[in-house]
Amino acid sequence: SILSAKYENFLAQDDVLSNVKGVPVPVSNLSGHYLPLSPKLKANIGAQYNWALADDAGKMSVRADYSWTDKQYGNAFNREGGQKGTNPNVVALATGDRIPSYGIWNARVQWKNNQDNVAVTGYVNNLTNKRAITNAFVTSSNVNQATMKPRLFGVKVDYYF
């Protein structure tokens, strides 16, 4: 998908750049900045193979999926990092609000009976155990980041009636 989500006219106060008592909080013109958590590009691809087992033993399928997300920003200020504020206690701006691009692989294998009312699925989400940053925002004293969930293995049993 392709997304071009930018502010047209938007003014906001940035308390991160000036957080000293008595120093006014500056107003920033954020027109043209990207909306938070709005990557310009996102792509997904998957492949699946299905086959029937011998002797009426059911059906099998294997599937792999890859999802890629372009760089994005954690808030409207679109900080690239390396900026300095007027508060000497703020070191959080070194990394900024920019979230790097990342990709994730998922895989599964499934057995279904011939009546299609029972399925057993084994799956692995985040196959490569990627620790990508999926959200980031800067406050006057911290850099807050969320990371992708670690690798997850599981088995799911479905019964349809």
Side-chain angles (χ1 to χ4, degrees):
S1 63
I2 299 173
L3 178 66
S4 183
K6 293 183 179 183
Y7 291 106
E8 288 185 19
N9 296 303
F10 184 50
L11 300 175
Q13 290 184 314
D14 188 356
D15 65 341
V16 172
L17 295 178
S18 180
N19 189 344
V20 178
K21 199 172 205 175
V23 176
V25 176
V27 174
S28 300
N29 182 358
L30 303 183
S31 301
H33 283 217
Y34 290 98
L35 272 63
L37 304 177
S38 300
K40 188 173 185 178
L41 300 172
K42 189 161 173 107
N44 298 289
I45 189 167
Q48 181 166 319
Y49 180 71
N50 305 313
W51 71 97
L53 296 173
D55 299 325
D56 253 1
K59 301 173 265 193
M60 294 290 298
S61 67
V62 292
R63 181 172 181 83
D65 298 291
Y66 180 74
S67 177
W68 179 80
T69 303
D70 200 1
K71 69 180 180 185
Q72 55 191 314
Y73 294 93
N75 73 37
F77 289 96
N78 294 183
R79 296 180 194 93
E80 290 292 335
Q83 302 176 30
K84 302 242 186 254
T86 56
N87 183 343
N89 298 320
V90 176
V91 293
L93 292 176
T95 57
D97 307 309
R98 187 170 185 253
I99 301 166
S101 62
Y102 60 90
I104 182 173
W105 283 96
N106 297 313
R108 73 176 195 153
V109 59
Q110 183 180 67
W111 171 84
K112 274 188 171 181
N113 68 352
N114 285 328
Q115 294 76 31
D116 282 335
N117 66 340
V118 177
V120 179
T121 305
Y123 61 90
V124 182
N125 293 338
N126 193 2
L127 185 65
T128 61
N129 204 27
K130 179 103 175 175
R131 296 297 180 133
I133 297 169
T134 57
N135 194 352
F137 61 95
V138 177
T139 67
S140 59
S141 58
N142 295 312
V143 172
N144 301 287
Q145 295 179 335
T147 58
M148 186 178 298
K149 291 179 184 177
R151 180 183 303 130
L152 175 69
F153 296 89
V155 175
K156 179 175 92 164
V157 178
D158 294 307
Y159 178 76
Y160 306 100
F161 52 92

